Amino acid sequence: MRRVRVDCHLHTVHSGDAVTTVERLAARVREERLDVVCVTDHHTLAGAREALAREIGARVVVGEEIRTHAGEIIGLFLTERVPYVLPLEEAAGRVRAQGGLVYAPHPFDASRTSLGAEGLERLRAMGALDVVEVFNAKMAEEEDNRRAERFAAGHDLPGAAGSDAHDPYGIGAAYVEMPDFDGPHDFAAALREGRVHGEFRDHAAYPAGPRT
């Protein structure tokens, strides 16, 4: 069975706090030999849709990183934007209603608006926690990733890895090598047979002048 390399969490300029254009994303996809990228900009699907239209050399999963009252979640395989700062259960329900997956990014990183154990348990209670990010390449504290890995294993949930790149340098810092998939159900199942690869990469330093 063909296996693919999937960066499950990254950002483009459409996030507002990221500097990667779709052109630079296409270049980095080739350099990092990625087969699939989940474009998960903050509160917009515009970057993912642009990447789809430009044919960047990798398959694109349309996603969105969504801030809720309880912390951030990611919706994958979306067709419609989910508004931000909704109650956690409502945001997750809107992801699920359009056939998407609810993905918990950097769940134990106290320096960001993460779900933590309480938010994860709330999603589990409503049967709406599909994927846990067990390796985030921007996580300086390795124990935070290990806690996520233990949580996923302890609750029989598939684990994913994402670069969380906000600049071109970070793309591909974390990915899952997994069986190829067709749609959200296959994606979640394939993650269970995947192998996580990752290294910590902080934001790259940029010289003065235009960023691309």
Side-chain angles (χ1 to χ4, degrees):
M1 178 182 293
R2 178 175 182 253
R3 294 178 72 84
V4 291
R5 293 159 61 117
V6 185
D7 187 337
C8 299
H9 175 187
L10 60 81
H11 298 265
T12 75
V13 290
H14 293 275
S15 273
D17 62 348
V19 297
T20 305
T21 62
V22 170
E23 291 81 6
R24 286 295 290 133
L25 173 59
R28 291 294 290 154
V29 159
R30 291 191 298 272
E31 292 163 5
E32 295 289 324
R33 296 183 294 114
L34 295 170
D35 301 294
V36 183
V37 290
C38 302
V39 179
T40 55
D41 286 320
H42 298 288
H43 314 309
T44 180
L45 306 184
R49 287 172 171 163
E50 183 183 349
L52 276 172
R54 295 284 189 92
E55 298 183 354
I56 62 170
R59 297 211 316 266
V60 176
V61 173
V62 176
E64 177 190 356
E65 190 161 16
I66 308 154
R67 180 171 293 191
T68 77
H69 290 173
E72 289 176 330
I73 63 172
I74 285 174
L76 295 178
F77 298 92
L78 298 184
T79 57
E80 299 178 4
R81 175 183 174 270
V82 177
Y84 66 97
V85 199
L86 292 173
L88 175 62
E89 288 80 3
E90 182 178 351
R94 290 192 183 210
V95 171
R96 283 296 199 80
Q98 53 188 289
L101 297 177
V102 177
Y103 174 116
H106 47 74
F108 292 105
D109 186 349
S111 69
R112 290 186 268 182
T113 51
S114 304
L115 290 173
E118 180 181 352
L120 291 170
E121 290 295 349
R122 283 170 59 183
L123 287 176
R124 275 205 335 116
M126 65 178 290
L129 180 55
D130 298 304
V131 180
V132 176
E133 188 172 74
V134 300
F135 193 98
N136 180 292
K138 284 176 58 184
M139 201 90 79
E141 295 294 332
E142 293 183 10
E143 177 58 22
D144 291 338
N145 279 330
R146 286 195 289 265
R147 285 185 69 191
E149 186 175 11
R150 290 194 297 269
F151 183 92
H155 295 89
D156 192 29
L157 291 165
S163 65
D164 198 0
H166 285 61
D167 53 54
Y169 165 77
I171 294 167
Y175 63 90
V176 183
E177 184 182 349
M178 57 195 274
D180 204 354
F181 60 91
D182 181 16
H185 179 77
D186 271 4
F187 179 86
L191 281 173
R192 294 184 179 277
E193 300 178 47
R195 181 180 177 188
V196 169
H197 300 262
E199 63 182 24
F200 171 69
R201 291 186 199 169
D202 204 352
H203 283 297
Y206 283 88
R211 296 176 176 180
T212 59

